[in-house]
């Protein structure tokens, strides 16, 4: 999870996701790959659970503290460091802020960072990958050398270095994560393009004189999309982790913004007499990472039935 | 084989140049005038520090000269001196490196002795409760952030076993046993994510190997299950695992920063964090470059090992 | 047709299979891959099992070796008499002792059937090490001898090669060397030449035939290729949907087939080496083994099928000359057996 490269490799597939075969046998009719993938995805129970978890996170992220009677920022020293109770299900922090409200507000930060960073990485990575895969040549070589360099750094360390030098702030954190992820996107897009571009339908389009831009948009991009979507899902969970880790180190979100990692960091001072401040942000991170991972697993199985027959 | 190694070594050169450029650019150029930043930071507002910085970086020279000077020094083993303490950066790194080396070894040890056997067992017992238990455990272990787990571990130990010495780091040279005791928990926490990942991966590759025709052949030869597993299934399924282990070294290195911070270990990870806090860019650049180069070399070694394991790669 | 093999001087039966049933228990239902198969092989004899893919011929071979993947597969009933005992009842250790020493098997694709990361000599030598307890170097030495016996050029060097460095024919020769290393009484060859070039096919088949005749090894040859059957076999069992539908000597089979399915197979044979994948004279697909019809499984494709065929599964008919078949309305040309 903590490294972008490991995710697209062979990995375990949950057994209940192995549904694509039955889908064919059951109907005895040819479905389009997308329909097939969708059918398979819907069959996966873990994928459904993951999607529901993600949906819940998104709803909370949109609503944020509005769902709570408390305010995530206003302090009330009379209820400082209260243990979990009916009034404060996740306790309060040292300034008397309701932790559940802050966790909900933190969901907003996590989702914002991860979605923006992933979208940004796609915006950078897909065109670069298309160029490297379709044209190759000098541009392709330069792009791939750049990718190699990004991969030469341990992920967290590169994020750390970029944020430390750009300055610790939310936009810089997003930028750093996007820079790291785009390298992986470039690699995946390039590999898919190279495998698609020699296929008959592309050759045929070229033979009738279709322009490169048309071929890319109409024939290559759709085939590249499914591995990219799968990877992007895993990137979302990885981004949540990186944001939390860097904020934990004081290099991401800055106080008083309630980010999960930052809350964990702040809790360490009171850990021994207010452990709820340490436990709940961790559970929030686990919940989010698990949700996106389960969804990613199911998506990968759905898009690549060959891998799921075990 | 030698040709393969030579080929791989040559391929490293552009990557290493790129790595050094990225470190140089991000540490020395992107932040604008480093001196301004340092001036603005009360922590490091020392005239001596600025003087050291000016002396080391030829700040008035054009950028490519600065890069070439820097990389020339680096190639001669001179990573510069700390802006704060004036100590050579390489000395600091080498003083702290044993802690990291030990931690990495410890984590790798856990990964190999826990991850690979559990993954193999799960595959061999597919569809049984053993397999299901291991897989569910692996999914959860995989999504638990290790820095959170480390924090909880520190909490539990300090609350319930305050005198166990588990949280107390002692250099190896002073007391080897206390040293290992002090690194046990950090090593375990550091390895957790990778252990669970390796469990999942090993399970998948062993299952894949078990389905191969050559395993059927091995059984058709009348080999015992033990021989089939140890000679034909496990070595072949370890080939992808070995590659991923190399990549996971990067995860471990990244994890070091967090682990050292939480367990207060005097390793390179903490040094990087301290250098960020004190804006000691010389130390930051030197240590990140050092770690990245080590990471690249580890991956090279893994690739060579891979070629050694799988003869088809060599040619 | 080729020359008749000399009658085996020792007609002792090496393997006798009775009412073998191997079923697969899948989510879609029970697949009766092998459903009541009887046959026997004598010393030095070559028995062909022929049929389309999915007829159960490969599963039959794997069942004899007790190598059917379990789950989902399981031998549900029957006997496999081999070497004086019933292999269906044999323990895992007993089977390990028999496999590779007294009964060997080679497979369709020699590239995937060999371990890609181990040298050929090591893989052949394993048989000697674990069955005869030889040291690694002695086993390697014997392995080189075996490679020489299978006419692999410069066997010393080839023993040091990895599978990907050998041609397809060489690989299959290495597989044969491995299978015959301990001079087994029975060799099961599952489509041994299907993955090879046509010219190499003939050489490899010739080699198998020669070695089996010399050593009096019984050979169970599983194939879908009637040309191979004609070239190699003494007797033939034709399988369809898990059952043997016709069982006779190769001469009778080609001259006077009784079962319409056999006749269809023969008509689809334009020349030696032709594949059965597209059968000009056999319309339709082999049946889904989860949904077998009530009567004769071949009835939906059979040109001679009557109502009775669709209702009652035909029993085995035995003629005096040992010719057996399962058909209500056999072809008429089998009335007067001749030598």
């Amino acid at each position: 999870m903590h490294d972008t490269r490991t995710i697209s490799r062979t990995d375990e597939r949950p057994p209940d996701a192995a549904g694509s075969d039955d889908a064919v046998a059951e109907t005895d009719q040819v479905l389009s790959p997308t329909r097939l993938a969708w059918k398979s995805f819907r069959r996966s129970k873990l994928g459904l659970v993951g999607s529901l978890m993600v949906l819940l996170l998104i709803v909370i992220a949109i609503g944020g503290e509005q769902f709570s009677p408390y305010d995530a920022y206003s302090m009330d020293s009379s209820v400082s460091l209260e243990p979990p109770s009916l009034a404060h299900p996740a306790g309060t922090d040292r300034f008397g802020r309701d932790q559940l409200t802050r966790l909900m507000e933190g969901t907003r930060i996590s989702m914002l960072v991860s979605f923006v960073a992933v979208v940004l990485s796609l915006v950078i990575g897909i065109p670069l990958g298309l160029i490297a895969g379709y044209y190759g040549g000098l541009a392709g070589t330069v792009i791939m050398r750049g990718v190699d360099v990004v991969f030469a750094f341990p992920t967290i360390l590169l994020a750390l270095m970029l944020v430390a030098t750009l300055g610790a702030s939310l936009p810089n954190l997003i930028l750093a994560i996007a820079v790291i992820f785009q390298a992986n996107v470039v690699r995946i897009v390039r590999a898919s393009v190279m495998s698609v571009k020699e296929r008959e339908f592309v050759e045929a389009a070229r033979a009738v004189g279709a322009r490169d831009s048309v071929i890319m948009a109409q024939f290559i991009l759709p085939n590249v999309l499914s591995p990219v979507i799968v990877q992007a899902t895993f990137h979302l969970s990885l981004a949540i982790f990186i944001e939390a880790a860097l904020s934990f180190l004081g290099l991401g979100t800055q106080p008083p913004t309630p980010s999960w990692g930052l809350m964990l960091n702040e809790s360490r001072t009171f850990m021994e007499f207010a452990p709820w401040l340490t436990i709940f942000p961790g559970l929030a991170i686990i919940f989010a990472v698990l949700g996106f991972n389960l969804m990613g697993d199911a998506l990968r199985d759905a898009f690549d039935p060959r891998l799921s027959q075990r | 084989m030698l040709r393969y190694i030579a080929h791989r070594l040559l391929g490293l050169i552009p990557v290493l140049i790129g790595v050094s450029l990225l470190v140089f650019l991000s540490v020395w150029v992107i932040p604008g005038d480093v001196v301004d930043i340092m001036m603005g930071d009360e922590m490091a507002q020392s005239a001596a520090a600025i003087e050291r910085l000016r002396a080391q970086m030829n700040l008035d020279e054009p950028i490519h000269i600065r890069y070439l000077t820097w990389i020339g020094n680096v190639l001669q083993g001179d990573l510069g001196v700390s802006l704060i303490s004036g100590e050579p950066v390489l000395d600091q790194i080498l003083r702290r490196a044993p802690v990291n080396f030990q931690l990495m070894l410890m984590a790798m040890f856990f990964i190999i002795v826990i991850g690979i056997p559990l993954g193999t067992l799960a595959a061999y017992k597919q569809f049984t409760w053993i397999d299901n238990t291991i897989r569910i455990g692996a999914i959860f272990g995989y999504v638990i952030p290790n820095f959170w787990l480390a924090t909880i571990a520190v909490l539990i130990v300090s609350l319930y076993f305050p005198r166990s010495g588990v949280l107390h780091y002692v250099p190896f040279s002073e007391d080897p046993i206390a040293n290992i005791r002090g690194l046990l928990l950090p090593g375990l926490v550091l390895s957790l994510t990778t252990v669970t990942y390796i469990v999942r991966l090993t399970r998948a590759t062993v299952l894949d190997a078990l389905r191969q025709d050559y395993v059927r052949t091995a059984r058709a030869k009348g080999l015992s299950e033990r021989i089939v597993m140890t000679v034909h299934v496990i070595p072949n399924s370890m080939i992808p695992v070995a590659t991923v282990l190399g990549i996971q070294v990067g995860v471990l290195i990244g994890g070091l920063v967090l682990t050292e911070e939480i367990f207060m270990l005097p390793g390179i990870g903490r040094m990087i964090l301290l250098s960020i806090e004190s804006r000691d860019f010389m130390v930051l650049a030197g240590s990140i470059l050092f770690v990245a180069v080590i990471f690249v070399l580890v991956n090279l070694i893994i690739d060579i090992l891979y070629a050694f394991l799988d003869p088809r790669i060599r040619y | 047709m080729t020359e008749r093999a000399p009658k085996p001087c020792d007609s002792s039966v090496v393997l006798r299979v009775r009412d073998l049933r191997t079923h697969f228990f899948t989510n879609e239902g029970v697949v009766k891959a092998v459903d009541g198969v009887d046959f026997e092989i004598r010393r030095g004899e070559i028995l062909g099992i022929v049929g389309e893919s999915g007829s159960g011929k490969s599963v039959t071979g794997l069942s004899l070796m007790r190598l059917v993947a379990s789950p989902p597969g399981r031998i549900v009933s029957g006997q496999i008499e081999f070497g004086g005992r019933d292999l269906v009842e044999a323990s895992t250790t007993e089977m390990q002792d028999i496999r590779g020493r007294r009964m060997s098997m080679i497979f369709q694709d020699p590239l995937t059937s060999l371990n890609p990361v181990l040298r050929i000599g090591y893989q052949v030598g394993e048989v000697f090490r674990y069955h005869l307890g030889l040291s690694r170097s002695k086993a390697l030495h014997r392995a080189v001898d075996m490679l020489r016996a299978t006419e692999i050029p410069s066997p010393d060097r080839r023993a040091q090669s990895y599978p990907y460095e050998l041609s397809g024919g060489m690989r299959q020769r290495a597989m044969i060397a491995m299978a015959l290393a301990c001079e087994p009484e029975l060799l099961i060859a599952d489509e041994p030449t299907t993955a090879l070039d046509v010219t190499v096919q003939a050489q490899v088949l010739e080699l198998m035939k020669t070695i089996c005749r010399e050593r009096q090894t019984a050979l169970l040859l599983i194939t879908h290729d009637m040309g191979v059957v004609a070239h190699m076999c003494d007797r033939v069992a034709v399988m369809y949907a898990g059952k043997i539908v016709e069982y006779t000597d190769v001469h009778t089979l080609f001259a006077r087939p009784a079962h319409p399915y056999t006749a269809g197979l023969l008509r689809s044979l334009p020349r030696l080496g032709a594949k059965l994948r597209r059968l000009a004279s056999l319309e339709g697909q082999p049946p889904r083994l989860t949904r077998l019809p009530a009567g004769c499984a071949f009835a939906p494709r059979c040109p001679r099928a009557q109502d009775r065929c669709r209702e009652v599964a035909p029993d085995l008919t035995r003629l005096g000359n040992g010719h057996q078949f399962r058909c209500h309305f056999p072809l008429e040309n089998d009335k007067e057996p001749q030598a």
Side-chain angles (χ1 to χ4, degrees), chain B residues 180-288:
Chain B
I180 288 171
R181 193 176 55 207
L183 291 176
L184 220 50
L185 200 53
L188 198 61
V189 169
L190 180 63
S191 68
L192 177 85
T193 310
T194 307
V195 165
T196 55
Y197 184 69
I198 292 296
V199 166
R200 285 160 51 123
L201 182 73
T202 306
R203 177 177 177 277
T205 59
V206 169
L207 278 180
D208 189 58
L210 277 170
R211 274 198 314 270
Q212 296 296 316
D213 287 351
Y214 58 78
V215 171
R216 189 180 57 188
T217 307
R219 293 206 170 113
K221 280 196 263 189
L223 305 185
S224 67
E225 278 301 294
R226 192 176 59 82
I227 300 287
V228 170
M229 288 302 284
T230 55
V231 176
H232 293 276
V233 174
I234 292 174
N236 292 54
S237 50
M238 281 311 106
I239 292 171
V241 175
T243 328
V244 170
L245 274 183
I247 295 163
Q248 290 288 314
V249 169
V251 178
L252 293 181
I253 292 174
L256 279 177
V257 179
L258 292 152
T259 312
E260 287 173 22
E261 166 72 11
I262 295 164
F263 288 97
M264 300 290 177
L265 300 173
I268 295 175
R270 251 182 94 66
M271 174 177 161
I272 291 172
L273 285 180
L274 289 173
S275 73
I276 291 172
E277 272 169 38
S278 60
R279 310 227 156 246
D280 193 340
F281 288 101
M282 215 64 214
V283 174
L284 179 63
S287 46
I288 288 197

Side-chain angles (χ1 to χ4, degrees), chain A residues 1-16 46 145 148-158 160-168 179 234 240-246 248-249 251 260-261 264-265 267-268 270-273 275 277-283 285-287 289-291 293-294 297 300 306 309-310, chain B residues 11 14-20 22-23 26-28 30-31 37 126-127 131-132 135 138-140 142-148 151-152 154-155 158-159 193 197 200-201 203-205 207-208 211 240 243-244 247-251 253-255 257-258 261-264 269 272-273 276-277 279 281 284 287-289 291-293 295-296 299:
Chain A
M1 165 180 78
H2 305 171
D3 193 284
T4 46
R5 272 148 292 179
T6 54
I7 282 152
S8 58
R9 289 171 186 266
T10 1
D11 194 1
E12 154 199 76
R13 251 97 358 216
D16 32 357
L46 284 178
R145 285 294 86 79
D148 284 345
V149 169
V150 172
F151 276 117
F153 289 91
T155 307
I156 291 278
L157 211 61
L158 183 55
L160 202 69
M161 178 176 84
L162 293 176
V163 172
T165 55
L166 293 171
V179 165
F234 286 115
I240 292 168
F241 174 83
I242 295 177
E243 187 274 327
L246 292 193
F248 179 80
L249 292 171
L251 289 166
W260 296 337
L264 256 185
N265 183 23
S267 79
R268 289 208 291 156
F270 317 99
M271 203 164 63
E272 289 179 25
F273 41 89
L277 291 178
T278 307
I279 290 167
F280 286 103
L283 294 181
I285 299 170
I286 292 174
F287 184 84
V289 172
L290 184 64
N293 257 310
L294 291 179
D297 275 342
R300 179 188 45 199
R306 278 170 299 139
Q309 292 172 6
R310 44 180 58 132
Chain B
V15 172
L16 289 176
I17 292 175
V19 166
S20 64
L22 184 57
V23 170
S26 54
V27 175
W28 297 105
I30 295 173
I37 289 181
Q126 197 190 8
F127 304 126
D131 180 32
N132 290 333
R135 287 174 24 161
I139 290 177
F140 274 97
Y142 192 61
V143 296
I144 294 177
N146 49 14
F147 56 91
W148 180 69
T151 312
I152 299 284
V154 168
L155 172 66
S158 55
L159 278 182
T193 310
Y197 184 69
R200 285 160 51 123
L201 182 73
R203 177 177 177 277
T205 59
L207 278 180
D208 189 58
R211 274 198 314 270
T243 328
V244 170
I247 295 163
Q248 290 288 314
V249 169
V251 178
I253 292 174
V257 179
L258 292 152
E261 166 72 11
I262 295 164
F263 288 97
M264 300 290 177
I272 291 172
L273 285 180
I276 291 172
E277 272 169 38
R279 310 227 156 246
F281 288 101
L284 179 63
S287 46
I288 288 197
L289 185 67
V291 172
V293 168
F295 181 47
V296 167
N299 272 310

Side-chain angles (χ1 to χ4, degrees), chain A residues 33 36 41 48 63 75 79 95-96 122 150 157-158 174 216 275 293:
Chain A
L36 209 67
F41 180 71
L48 182 72
M75 305 177 191
V79 289
F95 300 114
L122 297 178
V150 172
L157 211 61
L158 183 55
I174 291 172
M216 271 207 220
N293 257 310

Side-chain angles (χ1 to χ4, degrees), chain C residues 86-325:
Chain C
D86 180 8
L87 297 189
V88 174
E89 304 292 328
S91 69
T92 314
T93 13
E94 282 174 291
M95 280 315 299
Q96 283 164 3
D97 187 49
I98 289 170
R99 290 180 200 141
R101 192 169 70 86
R102 301 188 58 191
M103 184 197 285
S104 294
M105 186 158 181
I106 60 177
F107 302 95
Q108 177 167 345
D109 186 347
L111 179 60
T112 57
S113 296
L114 288 162
N115 190 327
V117 305
L118 296 175
R119 294 173 202 275
I120 296 288
Y122 179 89
Q123 297 192 53
V124 177
E126 263 186 329
V127 185
F128 293 115
R129 286 174 64 194
Y130 297 112
H131 283 304
L132 305 183
L134 297 189
S135 70
R136 201 167 163 161
S137 61
K138 277 206 180 111
L140 183 64
H141 199 75
R142 290 282 296 272
V144 173
D145 289 344
M146 246 355 264
L147 292 175
R148 188 174 294 118
T150 53
E151 296 164 17
I152 289 181
S154 50
D156 285 308
R157 235 183 52 229
R158 284 307 169 207
Q160 298 301 320
S161 302
Y162 291 96
Y164 71 93
E165 298 174 286
L166 267 56
S167 69
M170 289 298 153
R171 287 181 207 130
Q172 198 59 294
R173 283 168 197 269
M175 285 295 291
I176 294 171
M178 197 184 289
L180 296 178
C182 290
E183 310 220 345
E185 290 126 85
L186 174 64
L187 172 65
I188 302 166
D190 186 358
E191 305 269 9
T193 57
T194 308
L196 305 179
D197 292 342
V198 179
T199 47
V200 183
Q201 276 188 20
Q203 293 167 11
V204 170
L205 286 173
E206 202 54 49
L207 173 78
M208 283 174 51
K209 194 171 177 177
T210 313
I211 296 187
C212 287
R213 292 279 187 244
E214 271 172 11
R215 303 183 175 206
Q216 286 291 292
T217 309
L219 172 62
L220 181 68
L221 182 65
I222 298 167
T223 181
H224 62 256
D225 187 334
M226 276 299 200
V228 170
V229 171
H231 179 68
M232 296 285 289
C233 299
D234 301 317
R235 286 188 305 131
V236 187
V238 179
M239 274 190 86
Y240 191 81
K243 288 189 163 65
I244 292 181
V245 294
E246 184 154 13
Y247 182 48
T248 181
D249 66 273
V250 71
H251 202 75
T252 312
L253 187 88
F254 277 79
R256 295 180 308 280
H259 200 286
Y261 177 62
T262 314
L265 290 182
L266 290 173
R267 269 199 304 279
S268 71
L269 178 71
R271 62 189 162 80
L272 190 88
K275 309 266 157 129
L276 287 188
R277 294 218 177 89
R278 296 290 300 259
L279 294 169
S281 52
L282 274 174
E283 294 290 322
Q285 298 282 319
R288 292 268 290 273
L289 292 174
T290 44
R291 293 181 211 158
L292 283 179
C296 173
F298 185 59
R301 298 168 74 191
C302 184
R304 299 166 66 86
Q306 313 277 320
D307 285 348
R308 191 170 161 224
C309 301
R310 286 179 269 274
E311 284 150 19
V312 186
D315 283 330
L316 197 67
T317 310
R318 296 168 205 264
L319 298 184
N321 58 353
H323 191 167
Q324 306 177 3
F325 50 85

